[in-house]
Amino acid sequence: MMAGSIEIILVIIVVTFLMRALPFMIFNSKRCVPHFLLYLGKVLPPAIIGMLVVYCFKQTDISQIPYGLNEVVAFLCVVVLQSLLKISILSILSGTILYMYLVQSHILDKILF
């Protein structure tokens, strides 16, 4: 059991290192990065963020109290903080903490409904 776990961790380390190092080995100073890779590098991050937002809201129940307000308030917190400060980790952590507080305390349920 333990030996199998160590082998799995070693494989993960090697694969992760190769995935990080291969682009630098392939596209060194002698070879230019192809245009389609530059294009993918530009358009994929916003597309992935969009998919993550859709994934986060996919199980939101808007037919029952609080009608998804907890999720919307936390989402707006992330958007506003990211727009103002442009510090991703702060925006994400603040939105997560706010969402957990809203869900645990049911404060929007008590105030609005």
Side-chain angles (χ1 to χ4, degrees), residues 9-110:
I9 291 171
L10 287 175
V11 168
I12 291 171
I13 290 171
V14 170
V15 169
T16 301
F17 175 76
L18 286 176
M19 289 179 65
R20 304 281 175 144
L22 269 177
F24 294 102
M25 287 190 262
I26 293 173
F27 302 113
N28 53 24
S29 61
K30 297 175 185 171
R31 295 180 66 186
C32 293
V33 179
H35 290 291
F36 77 95
L37 282 181
L38 294 174
Y39 173 74
L40 288 178
K42 184 184 285 184
V43 297
L44 278 182
I48 291 170
I49 289 173
M51 287 191 315
L52 288 174
V53 169
V54 169
Y55 182 77
C56 287
F57 283 103
K58 76 173 188 172
Q59 293 184 345
T60 301
D61 188 7
I62 58 172
S63 63
Q64 294 181 354
I65 292 176
Y67 306 111
L69 281 177
N70 295 329
E71 291 83 357
V72 170
V73 169
F75 175 74
L76 290 176
C77 171
V78 171
V79 169
V80 168
L81 285 177
Q82 183 62 27
S83 299
L84 294 176
L85 304 176
K86 305 215 183 293
I87 303 173
S88 301
I89 190 71
L90 178 66
S91 305
I92 294 169
L93 281 177
S94 300
T96 303
I97 291 169
L98 177 62
Y99 175 74
M100 292 307 297
Y101 173 73
L102 293 174
V103 168
Q104 296 295 322
S105 67
H106 300 282
I107 193 164
L108 289 180
D109 303 356
K110 296 172 188 170

XYZ file of all heavy atoms in Angstrom, residues 9-110:
808
model
N 3.090 9.008 -6.357
C 3.561 10.374 -6.134
C 4.761 10.680 -7.016
O 4.862 11.774 -7.591
C 3.890 10.581 -4.639
C 2.595 10.551 -3.824
C 4.653 11.881 -4.412
C 2.795 10.527 -2.331
N 5.678 9.724 -7.168
C 6.842 9.940 -8.035
C 6.420 10.132 -9.493
O 6.963 10.998 -10.188
C 7.818 8.770 -7.908
C 8.606 8.714 -6.595
C 9.449 7.449 -6.543
C 9.458 9.950 -6.421
N 5.463 9.349 -9.954
C 4.975 9.494 -11.322
C 4.339 10.871 -11.499
O 4.567 11.554 -12.503
C 3.990 8.361 -11.683
C 3.264 8.667 -12.982
C 4.717 7.038 -11.772
N 3.563 11.299 -10.520
C 2.927 12.627 -10.594
C 3.979 13.726 -10.638
O 3.867 14.687 -11.404
C 1.960 12.818 -9.408
C 0.751 11.899 -9.577
C 1.523 14.268 -9.287
C -0.159 11.855 -8.371
N 5.028 13.593 -9.833
C 6.109 14.591 -9.829
C 6.784 14.659 -11.202
O 7.002 15.743 -11.750
C 7.138 14.267 -8.722
C 6.514 14.521 -7.352
C 8.427 15.070 -8.908
C 7.356 14.021 -6.191
N 7.107 13.495 -11.769
C 7.795 13.471 -13.067
C 6.899 14.063 -14.156
O 7.342 14.885 -14.970
C 8.228 12.034 -13.417
C 8.709 11.947 -14.859
C 9.316 11.575 -12.465
N 5.630 13.654 -14.179
C 4.719 14.151 -15.211
C 4.500 15.656 -15.066
O 4.510 16.395 -16.054
C 3.373 13.382 -15.156
C 2.326 14.049 -16.035
C 3.582 11.941 -15.576
N 4.342 16.126 -13.845
C 4.161 17.560 -13.622
C 5.396 18.341 -14.067
O 5.294 19.372 -14.728
C 3.874 17.836 -12.132
O 2.705 17.121 -11.757
C 3.675 19.320 -11.886
N 6.572 17.837 -13.730
C 7.808 18.504 -14.152
C 7.914 18.543 -15.669
O 8.252 19.589 -16.246
C 9.024 17.794 -13.561
C 10.322 18.363 -14.059
C 10.802 19.565 -13.564
C 11.048 17.713 -15.045
C 11.978 20.103 -14.035
C 12.228 18.243 -15.523
C 12.699 19.437 -15.019
N 7.616 17.415 -16.320
C 7.698 17.387 -17.779
C 6.690 18.348 -18.411
O 7.005 19.019 -19.400
C 7.486 15.968 -18.299
C 8.664 15.025 -18.077
C 8.309 13.615 -18.535
C 9.895 15.530 -18.798
N 5.486 18.398 -17.867
C 4.480 19.301 -18.431
C 4.901 20.761 -18.287
O 4.599 21.594 -19.135
C 3.126 19.077 -17.758
C 2.496 17.763 -18.155
S 0.922 17.478 -17.350
C -0.051 18.778 -18.048
N 5.596 21.092 -17.217
C 6.055 22.464 -17.021
C 7.304 22.771 -17.844
O 7.479 23.884 -18.316
C 6.368 22.716 -15.534
C 5.228 22.445 -14.603
C 4.277 23.574 -14.632
N 3.111 23.242 -13.820
C 2.467 24.107 -13.104
N 2.836 25.350 -13.084
N 1.408 23.735 -12.433
N 8.188 21.792 -17.989
C 9.473 22.041 -18.636
C 9.435 21.864 -20.150
O 10.226 22.489 -20.857
C 10.528 21.118 -18.035
N 8.544 21.021 -20.674
C 8.528 20.736 -22.107
C 8.350 21.975 -22.987
O 9.063 22.110 -23.988
C 7.458 19.701 -22.437
C 7.920 18.245 -22.403
C 6.765 17.304 -22.680
C 9.055 17.987 -23.351
N 7.440 22.878 -22.676
C 7.336 24.062 -23.535
C 8.630 24.868 -23.617
O 8.973 25.378 -24.673
C 6.218 24.887 -22.886
C 5.428 23.902 -22.120
C 6.387 22.867 -21.673
N 9.359 24.955 -22.516
C 10.620 25.697 -22.529
C 11.696 24.942 -23.300
O 12.581 25.537 -23.901
C 11.079 25.993 -21.097
C 10.157 26.913 -20.379
C 9.255 26.419 -19.443
C 10.171 28.273 -20.646
C 8.394 27.268 -18.781
C 9.311 29.129 -19.989
C 8.411 28.618 -19.057
N 11.619 23.597 -23.264
C 12.591 22.806 -24.018
C 12.281 22.854 -25.515
O 13.181 22.923 -26.337
C 12.582 21.357 -23.527
C 13.212 21.174 -22.174
S 13.440 19.455 -21.764
C 12.018 19.161 -20.750
N 11.002 22.820 -25.871
C 10.613 22.797 -27.285
C 10.771 24.173 -27.916
O 11.335 24.307 -28.994
C 9.158 22.299 -27.429
C 9.076 20.831 -27.012
C 8.671 22.476 -28.861
C 7.658 20.290 -26.949
N 10.261 25.193 -27.242
C 10.286 26.545 -27.800
C 11.356 27.366 -27.089
O 11.075 28.295 -26.355
C 8.920 27.213 -27.671
C 7.837 26.439 -28.343
C 6.843 25.835 -27.609
C 7.824 26.305 -29.718
C 5.842 25.116 -28.221
C 6.838 25.583 -30.347
C 5.844 24.982 -29.600
N 12.574 27.042 -27.339
C 13.674 27.807 -26.758
C 13.954 29.029 -27.632
O 13.155 29.396 -28.481
C 14.912 26.911 -26.602
C 15.254 26.227 -27.904
O 14.899 26.716 -28.974
N 15.913 25.083 -27.818
N 15.079 29.628 -27.441
C 15.374 30.864 -28.183
C 15.567 30.631 -29.679
O 15.481 31.572 -30.470
C 16.621 31.515 -27.600
O 17.728 30.628 -27.727
N 15.792 29.395 -30.101
C 16.009 29.113 -31.518
C 14.700 28.957 -32.290
O 14.659 29.198 -33.488
C 16.847 27.847 -31.680
C 18.226 27.954 -31.093
C 18.970 26.651 -31.178
C 20.314 26.770 -30.453
N 20.977 25.481 -30.338
N 13.631 28.517 -31.612
C 12.346 28.282 -32.288
C 11.299 29.240 -31.742
O 11.163 29.418 -30.539
C 11.873 26.840 -32.071
C 12.779 25.825 -32.713
C 12.294 24.439 -32.476
N 11.019 24.256 -33.180
C 10.282 23.174 -33.060
N 10.662 22.201 -32.272
N 9.153 23.066 -33.712
N 10.555 29.840 -32.646
C 9.477 30.737 -32.248
C 8.230 29.944 -31.889
O 8.010 28.850 -32.402
C 9.138 31.687 -33.385
S 10.451 32.835 -33.753
N 7.417 30.524 -31.031
C 6.151 29.901 -30.662
C 5.165 30.089 -31.817
O 5.014 31.201 -32.326
C 5.587 30.540 -29.373
C 4.258 29.923 -29.000
C 6.583 30.418 -28.241
N 4.489 29.002 -32.255
C 3.519 29.139 -33.355
C 2.381 30.091 -32.979
O 2.002 30.217 -31.815
C 2.989 27.718 -33.553
C 3.974 26.829 -32.904
C 4.633 27.626 -31.831
N 1.798 30.717 -34.000
C 0.739 31.703 -33.774
C -0.503 31.090 -33.138
O -1.156 31.730 -32.320
C 0.368 32.390 -35.089
C 1.446 33.296 -35.580
N 1.780 34.466 -34.938
C 2.294 33.190 -36.623
C 2.768 35.049 -35.568
N 3.111 34.288 -36.606
N -0.810 29.831 -33.510
C -2.014 29.238 -32.917
C -1.844 29.002 -31.427
O -2.798 29.098 -30.655
C -2.429 27.943 -33.651
C -1.600 26.741 -33.312
C -2.016 25.861 -32.332
C -0.420 26.492 -33.983
C -1.269 24.746 -32.015
C 0.346 25.390 -33.678
C -0.068 24.509 -32.689
N -0.610 28.733 -30.976
C -0.391 28.586 -29.532
C -0.509 29.929 -28.818
O -1.036 30.007 -27.701
C 0.974 27.965 -29.261
C 1.072 26.457 -29.463
C 2.469 25.973 -29.137
C 0.057 25.720 -28.625
N -0.021 30.974 -29.455
C -0.191 32.311 -28.862
C -1.663 32.681 -28.785
O -2.126 33.252 -27.789
C 0.573 33.351 -29.684
C 2.090 33.216 -29.668
C 2.720 34.200 -30.642
C 2.615 33.432 -28.264
N -2.420 32.324 -29.848
C -3.860 32.591 -29.847
C -4.556 31.814 -28.731
O -5.381 32.380 -27.999
C -4.454 32.219 -31.212
C -5.944 32.305 -31.262
C -6.585 33.537 -31.301
C -6.728 31.156 -31.242
C -7.953 33.625 -31.332
C -8.101 31.225 -31.275
C -8.714 32.466 -31.324
O -10.062 32.549 -31.336
N -4.206 30.529 -28.599
C -4.817 29.727 -27.525
C -4.458 30.280 -26.153
O -5.291 30.289 -25.240
C -4.368 28.274 -27.638
C -4.953 27.472 -28.784
C -4.373 26.064 -28.794
C -6.460 27.420 -28.706
N -3.240 30.753 -25.995
C -2.838 31.342 -24.728
C -3.610 32.601 -24.399
O -3.791 32.950 -23.241
N -4.103 33.268 -25.436
C -4.863 34.494 -25.218
C -6.341 34.214 -24.939
O -6.941 34.848 -24.078
C -4.754 35.397 -26.447
C -5.424 36.740 -26.277
C -5.373 37.554 -27.541
C -3.974 38.101 -27.744
N -3.891 38.994 -28.918
N -6.943 33.256 -25.639
C -8.394 33.051 -25.533
C -8.802 31.972 -24.537
O -9.944 31.978 -24.061
C -9.020 32.734 -26.907
C -8.833 33.893 -27.856
C -8.504 31.443 -27.489
N -7.923 31.033 -24.240
C -8.330 29.951 -23.340
C -8.567 30.378 -21.893
O -9.542 29.917 -21.287
C -7.331 28.801 -23.395
C -7.520 27.833 -24.550
C -6.498 26.705 -24.465
C -8.907 27.262 -24.584
N -7.737 31.234 -21.287
C -8.029 31.596 -19.890
C -9.413 32.202 -19.676
O -10.125 31.772 -18.753
C -6.902 32.575 -19.536
C -5.780 32.165 -20.413
C -6.414 31.751 -21.706
N -9.868 33.182 -20.488
C -11.245 33.660 -20.269
C -12.299 32.594 -20.532
O -13.318 32.548 -19.838
C -11.382 34.810 -21.279
C -10.008 35.208 -21.622
C -9.167 34.000 -21.483
N -12.057 31.713 -21.504
C -13.025 30.648 -21.775
C -13.113 29.679 -20.605
O -14.209 29.249 -20.216
C -12.626 29.901 -23.046
N -11.989 29.358 -20.016
C -11.988 28.440 -18.866
C -12.670 29.095 -17.668
O -13.444 28.449 -16.951
C -10.545 28.011 -18.538
C -10.033 27.107 -19.652
C -10.468 27.321 -17.193
C -8.559 26.804 -19.568
N -12.408 30.371 -17.450
C -13.068 31.071 -16.345
C -14.577 31.089 -16.569
O -15.356 30.869 -15.635
C -12.494 32.492 -16.192
C -11.074 32.389 -15.650
C -13.357 33.340 -15.265
C -10.322 33.692 -15.612
N -15.006 31.320 -17.811
C -16.438 31.283 -18.112
C -17.051 29.927 -17.825
O -18.150 29.829 -17.269
N -16.345 28.876 -18.197
C -16.865 27.532 -17.915
C -16.934 27.270 -16.418
O -17.866 26.634 -15.926
C -15.988 26.470 -18.587
C -16.168 26.427 -20.082
S -15.419 25.030 -20.925
C -13.834 24.916 -20.210
N -15.946 27.763 -15.662
C -15.967 27.576 -14.209
C -17.138 28.320 -13.569
O -17.762 27.829 -12.628
C -14.645 28.028 -13.597
C -13.458 27.119 -13.863
C -12.177 27.756 -13.336
C -13.662 25.760 -13.223
N -17.440 29.512 -14.082
C -18.582 30.267 -13.557
C -19.872 29.510 -13.825
O -20.723 29.363 -12.930
C -18.622 31.680 -14.173
C -19.937 32.379 -13.852
C -17.452 32.509 -13.683
N -20.030 29.000 -15.034
C -21.232 28.214 -15.365
C -21.302 26.982 -14.479
O -22.369 26.629 -13.954
C -21.229 27.827 -16.858
C -22.312 26.808 -17.167
C -21.393 29.069 -17.721
N -20.172 26.320 -14.265
C -20.142 25.129 -13.418
C -20.532 25.464 -11.979
O -21.233 24.702 -11.324
C -18.755 24.493 -13.460
C -18.647 23.234 -12.669
C -19.165 22.042 -13.163
C -18.048 23.222 -11.419
C -19.080 20.876 -12.435
C -17.953 22.065 -10.676
C -18.474 20.897 -11.198
O -18.397 19.746 -10.466
N -20.091 26.630 -11.488
C -20.422 27.021 -10.115
C -21.918 27.276 -9.945
O -22.489 26.981 -8.902
C -19.649 28.268 -9.716
S -17.914 28.000 -9.428
N -22.554 27.811 -10.976
C -23.971 28.159 -10.871
C -24.904 27.049 -11.325
O -26.108 27.193 -11.238
C -24.271 29.418 -11.693
C -23.818 30.678 -11.031
C -22.682 31.329 -11.433
C -24.539 31.205 -9.977
C -22.256 32.488 -10.821
C -24.133 32.360 -9.346
C -22.991 33.002 -9.767
N -24.385 25.933 -11.790
C -25.237 24.918 -12.419
C -26.217 24.270 -11.442
O -27.285 23.849 -11.845
C -24.409 23.856 -13.120
C -23.767 22.857 -12.207
C -23.104 21.751 -12.968
C -22.661 20.697 -11.988
N -22.185 19.521 -12.604
N -25.890 24.189 -10.171
C -26.784 23.553 -9.211
C -27.486 24.558 -8.307
O -28.052 24.187 -7.289
C -26.022 22.533 -8.382
C -25.560 21.347 -9.207
C -24.903 20.295 -8.355
O -24.533 20.535 -7.217
N -24.759 19.111 -8.916
N -27.439 25.817 -8.680
C -28.122 26.837 -7.897
C -29.625 26.699 -8.085
O -30.121 26.690 -9.205
C -27.664 28.238 -8.340
O -26.262 28.336 -8.168
C -28.369 29.306 -7.529
N -30.328 26.581 -6.979
C -31.785 26.417 -7.028
C -32.437 27.793 -6.909
O -32.436 28.400 -5.832
C -32.240 25.512 -5.890
C -33.711 25.152 -6.012
O -34.341 25.499 -7.035
O -34.231 24.505 -5.072
N -32.980 28.274 -8.008
C -33.598 29.603 -7.996
C -35.100 29.531 -7.720
O -35.788 30.543 -7.766
C -33.341 30.352 -9.317
C -33.879 29.566 -10.503
C -31.863 30.630 -9.493
C -33.842 30.330 -11.812
N -35.590 28.331 -7.420
C -37.022 28.191 -7.152
C -37.339 28.211 -5.662
O -38.502 28.212 -5.282
C -37.545 26.900 -7.772
O -36.917 25.780 -7.166
N -36.302 28.187 -4.815
C -36.535 28.184 -3.369
C -35.736 29.315 -2.719
O -34.753 29.794 -3.268
C -36.090 26.849 -2.757
C -36.915 25.678 -3.216
C -36.447 24.386 -2.574
O -35.442 24.356 -1.883
N -37.184 23.316 -2.815
N -36.186 29.710 -1.547
C -35.478 30.739 -0.777
C -34.058 30.280 -0.528
O -33.867 29.123 -0.166
C -36.219 31.010 0.550
C -37.547 31.660 0.236
C -35.398 31.857 1.504
C -38.422 31.889 1.446
N -33.047 31.039 -0.740
C -32.961 32.469 -1.040
C -32.828 32.769 -2.533
O -32.304 33.810 -2.870
C -31.738 32.910 -0.267
C -30.830 31.740 -0.335
C -31.736 30.535 -0.297
N -33.282 31.898 -3.379
C -33.344 32.127 -4.825
C -31.983 32.399 -5.456
O -31.865 33.161 -6.409
C -34.311 33.284 -5.146
C -35.663 33.096 -4.552
C -36.089 33.922 -3.513
C -36.516 32.095 -5.010
C -37.334 33.738 -2.940
C -37.760 31.911 -4.452
C -38.165 32.734 -3.411
O -39.401 32.538 -2.854
N -30.960 31.807 -4.918
C -29.618 31.957 -5.478
C -28.938 33.263 -5.126
O -27.920 33.599 -5.712
N -29.502 33.993 -4.168
C -28.901 35.284 -3.789
C -27.524 35.128 -3.160
O -26.649 35.979 -3.366
C -29.819 36.041 -2.840
C -30.978 36.764 -3.509
C -31.856 37.422 -2.456
C -30.484 37.793 -4.484
N -27.316 34.056 -2.401
C -25.995 33.844 -1.798
C -24.929 33.745 -2.884
O -23.862 34.358 -2.778
C -25.982 32.574 -0.957
C -26.896 32.668 0.232
O -27.105 33.737 0.765
N -27.453 31.533 0.642
N -25.229 32.989 -3.913
C -24.267 32.808 -5.001
C -24.047 34.118 -5.769
O -22.919 34.459 -6.116
C -24.742 31.719 -5.959
C -24.711 30.328 -5.382
C -25.935 29.987 -4.537
O -26.803 30.858 -4.341
O -26.021 28.841 -4.074
N -25.130 34.841 -6.010
C -25.020 36.089 -6.767
C -24.216 37.125 -5.984
O -23.344 37.806 -6.544
C -26.422 36.630 -7.126
C -26.331 38.033 -7.701
C -27.116 35.693 -8.099
N -24.465 37.234 -4.684
C -23.730 38.207 -3.859
C -22.242 37.852 -3.827
O -21.378 38.731 -3.984
C -24.329 38.271 -2.440
C -23.424 39.057 -1.506
C -25.720 38.883 -2.483
N -21.927 36.566 -3.638
C -20.517 36.158 -3.616
C -19.869 36.384 -4.974
O -18.722 36.846 -5.062
C -20.413 34.692 -3.206
N -20.595 36.097 -6.048
C -20.068 36.318 -7.394
C -19.791 37.807 -7.635
O -18.735 38.178 -8.158
C -21.057 35.780 -8.433
C -20.660 36.055 -9.850
C -19.639 35.341 -10.440
C -21.314 37.022 -10.596
C -19.264 35.591 -11.744
C -20.952 37.280 -11.897
C -19.917 36.562 -12.474
N -20.725 38.650 -7.232
C -20.516 40.091 -7.406
C -19.334 40.586 -6.579
O -18.590 41.475 -7.016
C -21.785 40.856 -7.046
C -22.945 40.676 -8.025
C -24.181 41.398 -7.499
C -22.580 41.159 -9.404
N -19.144 40.021 -5.391
C -17.995 40.375 -4.564
C -16.696 40.056 -5.303
O -15.775 40.884 -5.349
C -18.053 39.626 -3.234
S -16.580 39.779 -2.224
N -16.635 38.872 -5.905
C -15.428 38.484 -6.645
C -15.207 39.417 -7.830
O -14.092 39.887 -8.069
C -15.532 37.018 -7.111
C -14.393 36.678 -8.059
C -15.534 36.081 -5.930
N -16.259 39.711 -8.568
C -16.127 40.563 -9.754
C -15.672 41.966 -9.362
O -14.760 42.531 -9.979
C -17.454 40.603 -10.535
C -17.416 41.672 -11.610
C -17.760 39.249 -11.146
N -16.280 42.541 -8.330
C -15.923 43.902 -7.918
C -14.484 43.953 -7.407
O -13.700 44.833 -7.792
C -16.916 44.416 -6.852
C -16.405 45.684 -6.207
C -18.279 44.634 -7.473
N -14.117 43.001 -6.546
C -12.753 43.012 -6.017
C -11.726 42.803 -7.114
O -10.676 43.447 -7.137
C -12.592 41.944 -4.930
C -13.219 42.277 -3.593
C -13.044 41.112 -2.625
C -12.592 43.524 -3.010
N -12.032 41.909 -8.052
C -11.084 41.666 -9.139
C -10.967 42.890 -10.039
O -9.882 43.230 -10.508
C -11.499 40.433 -9.950
C -10.536 40.066 -11.045
C -9.146 39.700 -10.528
O -8.983 39.242 -9.412
N -8.136 39.931 -11.350
N -12.083 43.568 -10.270
C -12.048 44.771 -11.104
C -11.268 45.895 -10.442
O -10.545 46.628 -11.112
C -13.470 45.259 -11.389
O -14.185 44.279 -12.088
N -11.415 46.023 -9.140
C -10.751 47.119 -8.438
C -9.297 46.822 -8.120
O -8.418 47.656 -8.351
C -11.498 47.439 -7.147
C -12.909 48.000 -7.303
C -13.555 48.177 -5.934
C -12.886 49.311 -8.059
N -9.035 45.642 -7.569
C -7.702 45.359 -7.044
C -6.837 44.519 -7.972
O -5.614 44.557 -7.876
C -7.819 44.651 -5.685
C -8.631 45.399 -4.624
C -8.758 44.553 -3.371
C -7.985 46.727 -4.313
N -7.466 43.696 -8.798
C -6.760 42.810 -9.730
C -5.808 41.854 -8.998
O -4.712 41.568 -9.469
C -6.018 43.595 -10.788
C -6.907 44.563 -11.547
C -6.527 44.684 -12.953
C -7.355 45.705 -13.697
N -8.722 45.365 -13.843
N -6.241 41.392 -7.832
C -5.486 40.387 -7.080
C -6.381 39.157 -7.011
O -7.316 39.084 -6.202
C -5.123 40.882 -5.668
C -4.333 42.183 -5.751
C -4.327 39.818 -4.922
C -4.084 42.842 -4.413
N -6.113 38.177 -7.869
C -7.013 37.033 -8.031
C -7.229 36.264 -6.747
O -8.357 35.910 -6.412
C -6.476 36.094 -9.111
O -6.355 36.769 -10.319
N -6.147 35.975 -6.036
C -6.283 35.145 -4.841
C -7.137 35.857 -3.791
O -7.950 35.223 -3.121
C -4.900 34.737 -4.282
C -5.035 33.679 -3.200
C -4.138 35.919 -3.762
C -5.430 32.342 -3.699
N -6.982 37.170 -3.677
C -7.789 37.924 -2.718
C -9.257 37.919 -3.129
O -10.144 37.743 -2.286
C -7.269 39.356 -2.602
C -8.059 40.266 -1.671
C -7.926 39.787 -0.228
C -7.591 41.699 -1.802
N -9.525 38.088 -4.408
C -10.895 38.090 -4.900
C -11.567 36.749 -4.661
O -12.704 36.675 -4.172
C -10.921 38.411 -6.397
O -10.259 39.600 -6.670
N -10.876 35.676 -5.007
C -11.455 34.335 -4.868
C -11.669 33.983 -3.402
O -12.735 33.477 -3.017
C -10.557 33.300 -5.568
C -10.560 33.555 -7.076
C -11.000 31.886 -5.254
C -9.523 32.768 -7.832
N -10.664 34.254 -2.568
C -10.814 33.952 -1.139
C -11.926 34.778 -0.507
O -12.708 34.263 0.296
C -9.494 34.207 -0.405
C -8.448 33.114 -0.539
C -7.162 33.533 0.169
C -8.953 31.812 0.034
N -12.021 36.049 -0.859
C -13.072 36.896 -0.293
C -14.451 36.398 -0.713
O -15.369 36.328 0.118
C -12.882 38.340 -0.749
O -11.648 38.826 -0.332
N -14.611 36.057 -1.980
C -15.887 35.534 -2.447
C -16.252 34.221 -1.784
O -17.403 33.998 -1.415
N -15.269 33.365 -1.614
C -15.524 32.069 -0.965
C -15.906 32.254 0.496
O -16.871 31.643 0.982
C -14.276 31.174 -1.078
O -13.936 31.026 -2.448
C -14.513 29.823 -0.452
N -15.171 33.101 1.194
C -15.472 33.339 2.614
C -16.842 33.995 2.762
O -17.639 33.603 3.629
C -14.358 34.195 3.258
C -13.072 33.379 3.354
C -14.782 34.713 4.623
C -11.847 34.184 3.712
N -17.142 34.966 1.916
C -18.451 35.616 1.973
C -19.565 34.609 1.686
O -20.588 34.586 2.385
C -18.516 36.767 0.970
C -19.861 37.483 0.871
C -20.216 38.132 2.203
C -19.843 38.511 -0.241
N -19.382 33.764 0.676
C -20.401 32.759 0.350
C -20.615 31.804 1.519
O -21.754 31.504 1.875
C -19.995 31.984 -0.899
C -20.932 30.860 -1.215
C -22.191 31.119 -1.745
C -20.584 29.546 -0.965
C -23.075 30.089 -2.021
C -21.454 28.516 -1.235
C -22.698 28.793 -1.765
O -23.570 27.764 -2.021
N -19.528 31.330 2.114
C -19.673 30.395 3.228
C -20.372 31.075 4.410
O -21.207 30.464 5.077
C -18.296 29.863 3.665
C -17.655 28.981 2.621
S -18.706 27.625 2.067
C -18.893 26.695 3.549
N -20.049 32.345 4.649
C -20.718 33.070 5.730
C -22.215 33.209 5.435
O -23.051 32.989 6.320
C -20.086 34.452 5.912
C -20.836 35.314 6.891
C -20.787 35.057 8.248
C -21.622 36.380 6.446
C -21.498 35.830 9.145
C -22.334 37.160 7.336
C -22.262 36.878 8.688
O -22.980 37.637 9.570
N -22.564 33.581 4.202
C -23.974 33.751 3.840
C -24.736 32.446 3.954
O -25.878 32.417 4.434
C -24.087 34.318 2.424
C -23.581 35.739 2.221
C -23.624 36.115 0.752
C -24.379 36.714 3.050
N -24.139 31.362 3.520
C -24.823 30.063 3.561
C -24.974 29.576 5.002
O -26.029 29.073 5.393
C -24.052 29.023 2.715
C -24.561 27.625 2.966
C -24.161 29.378 1.236
N -23.925 29.721 5.806
C -23.967 29.211 7.177
C -24.867 30.047 8.080
O -25.536 29.516 8.965
C -22.554 29.160 7.767
C -21.631 28.203 7.050
C -22.064 26.763 7.188
O -22.538 26.356 8.245
N -21.923 25.988 6.116
N -24.870 31.364 7.882
C -25.626 32.227 8.787
C -27.069 32.442 8.337
O -27.893 32.895 9.130
C -24.937 33.590 8.891
O -25.015 34.281 7.653
N -27.376 32.144 7.078
C -28.719 32.382 6.513
C -29.144 33.831 6.690
O -30.324 34.135 6.851
C -29.757 31.456 7.162
C -29.452 30.006 6.976
N -29.697 29.355 5.804
C -28.906 29.102 7.814
C -29.322 28.089 5.926
N -28.833 27.913 7.141
N -28.181 34.719 6.653
C -28.472 36.125 6.932
C -29.370 36.741 5.847
O -30.243 37.550 6.141
C -27.168 36.930 7.125
C -27.495 38.282 7.715
C -26.406 37.092 5.821
C -26.302 38.990 8.302
N -29.176 36.357 4.588
C -30.042 36.903 3.537
C -31.471 36.380 3.680
O -32.423 37.105 3.387
C -29.482 36.548 2.158
C -28.201 37.279 1.755
C -27.742 36.842 0.377
C -28.397 38.769 1.798
N -31.616 35.138 4.131
C -32.958 34.589 4.366
C -33.687 35.409 5.423
O -34.861 35.726 5.284
C -32.869 33.138 4.831
C -32.134 32.252 3.856
O -31.748 32.737 2.777
O -31.932 31.075 4.190
N -32.958 35.740 6.514
C -33.566 36.467 7.624
C -33.891 37.907 7.247
O -34.910 38.446 7.671
C -32.624 36.443 8.824
C -32.385 35.063 9.386
C -31.303 35.078 10.443
C -30.944 33.660 10.858
N -29.750 33.624 11.697
